[in-house]
Amino acid sequence: MIARVIRHSKSLARFLLAFGLGFGVLFVSTPQGEEAAELLEPTLAPGPRRLISLNPSLSAIVLRLGEGQRLVGVDDYSARLMPELAELPRVGGLFDPGLESILSLRPDRVLLVAGLEQETHATRLAKLGVPVDIYPNERLDEVLENIQRLGTLLGREQAAANRIQAILEMRRAVSVAAKSRRRPTSVAIVDRSPLFIVGSETFLDEMLDAVGAENLGRRLAKGYPRGSIEWLIDARPERLLDMTPGATAALEFWSRWPSIPAVANGQVVDVDASRISLPGPDLDRALRELAIAVHGEGIEVDIRRAIAERSASPPMREDELVDQ
Amino acid sequence: MIRLSLSRMIFVLGTLSFGLVLICLIALATGPSNIGFGAVVDVANSFLRGSADTAAGDASFDIVLRVRLPRLILGLLVGAALATAGVIFQALLRNPLADPYVLGVSGGAALAGIVVLALGGLLGISTSFVPIAAFGGGLLATALLYWVSGGPGRSGPTGLLLTGVVFNAFASAGIVFLASIAGFFDGSRIFLWLIGHLSAVEIDAAGLVAVSVAIGFGVACLLSRSLNLIALGDETAAQLGIPVDAHRRWLLLSTSLMVGAAVAVSGLIGFVGLIVPHALRLVIGSDHRLLIPAAALSGAGFLVLSDTLARTILDGRELPVGAVTALIGGPLFIFLLRRAQSKGPLS
């Protein structure tokens, strides 16, 4: 039992250290509008034809670029979270993909994220002659770069550029909208029990910064550290953004500690993790909803105004995009 | 065996009680926030004067009364339960490696709790039912253990031990299976459950644990003289007029109840039930009339101290207390073993 616990603890530690890859397993939701139609659109673009994705954030990007038909296998989480992929063969979990299952699907490219555990699999797959692409996805820039790389790989450069542009435009718009507002001190909770929070050097921390929230979790550690309730009470956050999936109402849970300013002022917000926490192609939507969670519905008007003002001016040049 | 006198008993238990009070004060006055002993006294005064409402918006009030105190209470109860159970199982099974988890009660409790953690979403059961499920699982495991090992009159230590080992292996397999199919969040909860922690305990659960500990501890104290003789061998005990089977049955059931309740709220915290009894035997001898209350006090103190370390050494971040007890307990156990070996070969 102890040996198993130790093995499990190692896996968890790796999971949390490289949470960008783990955090992507939370949820994903289906894109809407005209881009949704692209999902089923057959493609003749060059590039690998038999893809296996071992991470939901990568699976989501492939789907969003309209190249879902190239996927011949996915990890369990992707299949569980994305209805479009539910019927595809599964090749195991994030940390224990089955080599035999992968080989039997004869992939011409396997997509996985950076991190000790997955890179070990990458090495083994490479030794077996399977081409492997590794995508780091802990930071916002890395996610954008992943969209660009996958766009190039799948011959969907324009679709990828559009996605990146949309995300960067939204980041700019929410920053402009939040500029005139006070930056509330905030703690973003990934899970209540045990308590995991959003720390520094994560894409969620960068998004909180962009929407004008001071993330107190930065002071604790980088990544997604396990915090203590006492630390949280002592930090006195003005906003509690609770992303715990499938839990009771956040305010009901946190109201047992009424000294927390966010509780006292009714600023405990249930955040739908399914719409915010995947380091994938829909971070524009995530940014907008995070801004609303932090500042209230009133900010939406300002976000629209910022977008409209930008639309009236010339589109961003490539060097401007990079600067952002 | 060292002769037990009333004055010796008062001295040992008095010293341990004093130490426990000190540990409790340290635990209440220590944490990642800068709330020290003075603030704790203020909160206590405020609480005792009945002005809790005016202090309700005060962070120190929340931290002392709603964070540290519930953990302290649960830590005391769970530590006392595990150490007492360790003493009893080591004597009942006449096995120095026996710990509260050896008989499979913990396996049953953990399996039932983890079923709710991993499949609760599918079954429509809230995770708040985990302690209740775990407690029920522990009771079921106890019943199964007794039935499989032969029931009244045939439940010798070897049969109990073997049944426990096999049942634990079965429960471990079930837990690993559930952990394998669980998602990330459920997986991290299962991990914490397996290593043992007090960070998510609810004070509401204290009543269940307190009653179970009171029953287990009460039965153990009442039958402590029998336990002294059973530890020498069933035949010896029977010749001296002890109804061995009946007393073993009572001890087994009451201790299992206690362990089931402890596991239900804190998961599988290791080493408390192994290290505390051994350390105490070296210091105060093996008379269970003294050993049992001393183990309860020491186990409570050891776990509270470990939990204080677990929630403070990383400055705002937390370690599972089971990791701390293992980090302290492992080397300490080796030290005690070496020390015992140096005095002569182990039997």
Side-chain angles (χ1 to χ4, degrees):
Chain A
M1 171 80 84
I2 289 172
R4 283 178 182 140
V5 170
I6 291 168
R7 278 201 297 277
H8 196 111
S9 71
K10 284 180 179 170
S11 295
L12 188 78
R14 287 168 190 162
F15 207 125
L16 293 173
L17 282 170
F19 205 69
L21 71 96
F23 205 48
V25 308
L26 297 182
F27 295 98
V28 67
S29 52
T30 313
Q32 296 173 342
E34 60 189 36
E35 283 178 288
E38 290 181 353
L39 302 183
L40 302 173
E41 182 187 314
T43 177
L44 295 173
R49 301 293 172 130
R50 296 185 64 80
L51 286 177
I52 291 180
S53 166
L54 296 181
N55 188 276
S57 67
L58 302 177
S59 306
I61 294 171
V62 173
L63 273 181
R64 198 72 158 89
L65 295 178
E67 295 297 324
Q69 73 279 9
R70 298 200 197 212
L71 287 165
V72 295
V74 289
D75 64 285
D76 290 339
Y77 290 106
S78 295
R80 195 181 303 166
L81 301 172
M82 288 169 242
E84 301 91 330
L85 306 178
E87 300 302 317
L88 282 181
R90 302 182 185 193
V91 296
L94 291 170
F95 302 122
D96 56 349
L99 281 184
E100 190 173 328
S101 306
I102 292 173
L103 291 175
S104 69
L105 292 170
R106 294 176 288 107
D108 53 8
R109 196 67 55 101
V110 174
L111 314 176
L112 40 76
V113 298
L116 285 176
E117 197 79 35
Q118 288 224 323
E119 286 188 23
T120 306
H121 297 306
T123 308
R124 294 173 70 193
L125 285 166
K127 280 181 183 168
L128 292 167
V130 179
V132 175
D133 281 355
I134 299 174
Y135 297 82
N137 71 347
E138 292 179 37
R139 309 297 295 266
L140 195 54
D141 283 349
E142 291 171 345
V143 180
L144 299 182
E145 194 179 326
N146 292 347
I147 296 171
Q148 187 180 34
R149 280 178 64 194
L150 281 166
T152 306
L153 179 74
L154 304 174
R156 286 285 187 170
E157 291 89 346
Q158 192 53 51
N162 291 345
R163 272 291 76 223
I164 294 168
Q165 172 94 11
I167 293 168
L168 289 174
E169 287 285 7
M170 183 57 75
R171 186 168 71 170
R172 191 196 60 80
V174 294
S175 295
V176 168
K179 213 166 194 171
S180 57
R181 290 170 159 81
R182 212 172 59 77
R183 288 175 68 86
T185 54
S186 310
V187 173
I189 294 146
V190 179
D191 195 13
R192 291 175 200 162
S193 180
L195 181 65
F196 283 102
I197 65 168
V198 176
S200 64
E201 299 181 28
T202 60
F203 78 97
L204 279 170
D205 173 54
E206 292 171 293
M207 295 210 306
L208 284 166
D209 186 50
V211 304
E214 186 188 337
N215 178 22
L216 297 175
R218 276 183 181 183
R219 301 175 190 171
L220 200 54
K222 63 181 181 181
Y224 299 85
R226 184 166 171 237
S228 69
I229 296 285
E230 182 169 335
W231 172 85
L232 192 148
I233 295 170
D234 193 46
R236 302 184 65 74
E238 295 165 305
R239 299 282 186 282
L240 273 183
L241 309 171
D242 192 337
M243 292 183 270
T244 308
T248 52
L251 186 57
E252 183 186 328
F253 178 83
W254 291 104
S255 61
R256 67 183 78 178
W257 297 288
S259 70
I260 301 172
V263 174
N265 300 321
Q267 295 294 335
V268 179
V269 186
D270 274 304
V271 176
D272 185 352
S274 68
R275 300 178 66 83
I276 288 181
S277 64
L278 188 83
D282 295 307
L283 292 182
D284 48 340
R285 181 191 63 198
L287 280 160
R288 190 174 62 83
E289 296 189 3
L290 201 54
I292 292 169
V294 171
H295 298 288
E297 297 281 348
I299 198 172
E300 194 156 17
V301 177
D302 292 337
I303 295 172
R304 284 190 190 141
R305 186 180 301 129
I307 292 171
E309 284 169 3
R310 186 75 200 184
S311 302
S313 60
M316 293 165 95
R317 297 191 315 273
E318 195 171 331
D319 56 339
E320 283 181 306
L321 292 176
V322 172
D323 288 345
Q324 291 205 26
Chain B
M1 189 178 288
I2 303 166
R3 199 173 67 83
L4 182 63
S5 63
L6 184 62
S7 59
R8 177 175 153 72
M9 201 157 180
I10 290 171
F11 173 74
V12 171
L13 297 183
T15 307
L16 289 174
S17 299
F18 179 71
L20 184 59
V21 170
L22 274 183
I23 288 172
C24 289
L25 290 175
I26 291 169
L28 277 178
T30 313
S33 59
N34 289 324
I35 291 171
F37 191 72
V40 174
V41 172
D42 290 344
V43 168
N45 277 334
S46 168
F47 184 73
L48 292 173
R49 283 201 311 270
S51 52
D53 290 342
T54 55
D58 183 0
S60 58
F61 192 88
D62 265 359
I63 287 170
V64 175
L65 289 187
R66 298 191 175 107
V67 176
R68 293 183 188 171
L69 187 62
R71 282 182 78 144
L72 172 67
I73 292 170
L74 267 299
L76 289 171
L77 290 169
V78 170
L82 295 178
T84 308
V87 168
I88 294 168
F89 282 153
Q90 283 163 17
L92 273 183
L93 302 172
R94 294 192 283 278
N95 187 326
L97 284 177
D99 73 357
Y101 308 141
V102 75
L103 287 187
V105 179
S106 56
L111 184 59
I114 287 169
V115 163
V116 174
L117 277 177
L119 304 177
L122 285 176
L123 303 172
I125 303 171
S126 162
T127 52
S128 59
F129 285 99
V130 168
I132 295 166
F135 188 62
L139 292 182
L140 270 177
T142 306
L144 186 72
L145 171 77
Y146 214 68
W147 177 67
V148 173
S149 65
R154 297 190 298 276
S155 55
T158 310
L160 284 172
L161 199 56
L162 287 175
T163 310
V165 167
V166 170
F167 187 75
N168 261 340
F170 171 79
S172 293
I175 289 165
V176 168
F177 171 74
L178 290 169
S180 302
I181 61 170
F184 168 68
F185 287 106
D186 294 333
S188 68
R189 289 174 189 138
I190 290 171
F191 160 71
L192 272 182
W193 181 277
L194 288 177
I195 204 156
H197 71 117
L198 291 169
S199 60
V201 293
E202 304 280 352
I203 194 63
D204 309 352
L208 172 79
V209 186
V211 170
S212 304
V213 171
I215 292 171
F217 183 72
V219 171
C221 285
L222 284 174
L223 300 181
S224 57
R225 194 175 163 275
S226 298
L227 207 53
N228 281 343
L229 299 173
I230 290 171
L232 298 173
D234 285 5
E235 283 184 17
T236 309
Q239 283 166 3
L240 292 170
I242 302 295
V244 175
D245 279 327
H247 284 189
R248 176 178 284 125
R249 186 161 62 247
W250 277 110
L251 285 164
L252 177 69
L253 289 174
S254 58
T255 308
S256 298
L257 185 76
M258 194 159 59
V259 172
V263 173
V265 295
S266 63
L268 304 176
I269 298 173
F271 279 96
V272 181
L274 190 63
I275 204 76
V276 172
H278 280 294
L280 282 173
R281 278 197 186 91
L282 283 175
V283 179
I284 64 169
S286 300
D287 191 327
H288 289 87
R289 290 172 295 172
L290 178 59
L291 191 55
I292 287 170
L297 291 168
S298 306
F302 179 58
L303 190 59
V304 169
L305 199 58
S306 299
D307 188 49
T308 306
L309 283 173
R311 60 189 173 78
T312 52
I313 54 178
L314 288 183
D315 194 21
R317 295 157 67 191
E318 279 206 30
L319 280 173
V321 69
V324 177
T325 57
L327 284 171
I328 298 172
L332 192 58
F333 189 76
I334 300 290
F335 169 74
L336 293 174
L337 194 67
R338 293 288 301 162
R339 192 176 146 176
Q341 282 171 334
S342 68
K343 290 181 177 175
L346 293 173
S347 56

